[in-house]
Amino acid sequence: MAALVSADGAYGGPVSVATDQVAALRSAGHEVTLVAGRDAASRPDHPATRLFRARRPRADGFAGMVAPGVPAWVLRHARRYDVVHVHLTRDLVTLPAAWLADRLGVPVVVQTHGQVRAEHGRLQGVLDALWTRRLIGRSRFLALTGHEAADLQRQGVPADRVDRVVNGVPLAREVAAAPGAGPRVLFVSRLADRKRPVAFVQAAALVHAVRPDVRFELWGPDGGEAPAVDAAIAASGIAAVCARRGPTSPAGARELLAGGQLFVLPSVAEPFPMAVLEALGAGLPVVLTTETGLSAAVAEAGAGAVTDGSPQELADAVLRLLGPAAWQEAATAARELARSRYAMDVVVATLEETYRRAVTERRPG
């Protein structure tokens, strides 16, 4: 399995997806090696993990990132595996790894996490011409949503080569505690425009006017919105109860969620946010907008609140869910939703079937 990993969560949800899949597949008895580009701080957490230093020429993007050790390792070792599963984005780490495995005749399963879309810029077009389109003819693809599956098909992936998969989450060992004095409301994600962290701060100010005891924390690497977040906190006069804490590791993020009382993600155009799944797995009620791939399931289960994303609706949902009865009901529903619909054994069964199909399709004759 090939991917990118980072100690500070800079590579986002796909890192958690890949590492959770690896752990679950190993628990199911499969031999799995995780091969990944890494930042300077990341360290292997398993003897069968191979991490190679990745470098990116621009701090604000991943398209030019390179990790020469990853394709070199794939070239030497890929043939001893039944399948190579690549968590792929348009970068110079995962694309060459997938292309090399395909050229070596090893069945390839590609999971793009909604990152390989039909619309793209000049650099993405060059990468597509060199590698992405060469994978379309023989690889199997995993899609999180119907929209992602349709996008892949628009790029030429046959419909019968796209399998649907959900992101799964292990149930957290530590679960969130009911609100008491000074409840914590968390934002744990990249501080990027699409995630709308400023809306979180604006909602915090509205809640503070009613419940001055509530504390708000923003955790995650800067995706361009950190200055705006700091300015919004200062302008709202809530610095005493609202703080931007900075990045945290994927493991650290899960500990944070278990220590909070509510999770708020005002994102738009969010296919399948892993941070939300991790919050649900910790029994943490969530507040979302209508524009995530998990909004309908959360609303149906009563595992939190789905809003229009305005600061006022976000604040109203936070105030309601901090009530003891409402919180307990939503927290119980959150944990059950994670267990029943997004358990890792469901993901493993899907992956096993996809791998079998990939092997059968590449078998000679």
Side-chain angles (χ1 to χ4, degrees):
M1 190 172 289
L4 293 167
V5 300
S6 170
D8 66 358
Y11 304 152
V15 176
S16 295
V17 175
T19 53
D20 286 345
Q21 287 177 354
V22 167
L25 287 164
R26 286 170 177 162
S27 294
H30 299 284
E31 178 190 349
V32 187
T33 300
L34 176 64
V35 184
R38 65 169 177 87
D39 62 14
S42 298
R43 294 290 182 268
D45 62 353
H46 189 280
T49 297
R50 303 287 182 266
L51 300 184
F52 299 92
R53 181 68 183 274
R55 295 173 175 83
R56 52 177 168 164
R58 293 171 47 192
D60 60 345
F62 302 116
M65 180 174 290
V66 295
V70 172
W73 192 95
V74 170
L75 184 62
R76 292 193 303 271
H77 300 287
R79 283 196 177 100
R80 62 178 285 258
Y81 293 88
D82 298 310
V83 175
V84 171
H85 179 164
V86 182
H87 291 267
L88 185 139
T89 59
R90 287 184 175 111
D91 59 64
L92 295 175
V93 179
T94 57
L95 271 170
W99 181 81
L100 271 173
D102 177 71
R103 294 288 291 177
L104 292 169
V106 182
V108 175
V109 172
V110 176
Q111 188 167 353
T112 67
H113 302 275
Q115 299 300 309
V116 180
R117 297 179 290 271
E119 64 275 7
H120 53 67
R122 179 177 299 176
L123 178 57
Q124 287 80 9
V126 171
L127 293 176
D128 284 351
L130 287 173
W131 284 300
T132 311
R133 294 193 186 106
R134 300 185 185 192
L135 296 171
I136 287 174
R138 291 188 291 260
S139 302
R140 289 205 71 85
F141 285 76
L142 290 166
L144 287 170
T145 65
H147 179 78
E148 183 182 0
D151 214 354
L152 289 169
Q153 291 166 39
R154 282 194 292 271
Q155 296 186 78
V157 180
D160 63 357
R161 300 187 74 84
V162 180
D163 296 325
R164 291 285 297 276
V165 66
V166 298
N167 285 341
V169 63
L171 289 180
R173 294 185 180 91
E174 301 292 330
V175 298
R184 295 171 72 201
V185 178
L186 302 174
F187 174 104
V188 184
S189 192
R190 176 184 292 277
L191 272 66
D193 180 64
R194 180 167 61 90
K195 308 288 188 179
R196 301 181 64 237
V198 171
F200 176 90
V201 175
Q202 293 168 340
L206 294 171
V207 172
H208 181 67
V210 180
R211 287 278 307 265
D213 62 317
V214 181
R215 295 172 293 148
F216 299 85
E217 298 177 8
L218 297 96
W219 293 85
D222 181 24
E225 288 291 285
V229 167
D230 292 342
I233 292 173
S236 300
I238 57 171
V241 296
C242 183
R244 178 172 67 87
R245 301 297 191 191
T248 183
S249 67
R254 292 183 177 183
E255 291 180 10
L256 284 169
L257 293 170
Q261 277 66 55
L262 287 179
F263 177 79
V264 178
L265 187 66
S267 286
V268 295
E270 189 78 61
F272 218 99
M274 271 304 296
V276 173
L277 285 181
E278 290 165 349
L280 296 173
L284 193 66
V286 299
V287 178
L288 309 176
T289 73
T290 56
E291 298 188 48
T292 84
L294 291 168
S295 301
V298 166
E300 179 184 348
V306 177
T307 74
D308 65 6
S310 66
Q312 187 63 63
E313 280 210 9
L314 294 169
D316 289 345
V318 167
L319 289 167
R320 179 177 66 80
L321 287 169
L322 286 176
W327 186 91
Q328 189 59 61
E329 183 178 351
T332 301
R335 184 88 167 169
E336 176 59 21
L337 179 60
R339 186 201 64 78
S340 63
R341 291 186 58 172
Y342 303 110
M344 289 307 300
D345 57 350
V346 175
V347 177
V348 167
T350 301
L351 294 179
E352 288 173 337
E353 179 58 28
T354 295
Y355 296 160
R356 280 192 288 268
R357 291 175 180 173
V359 170
T360 299
E361 289 162 356
R362 288 299 294 267
R363 186 175 293 151

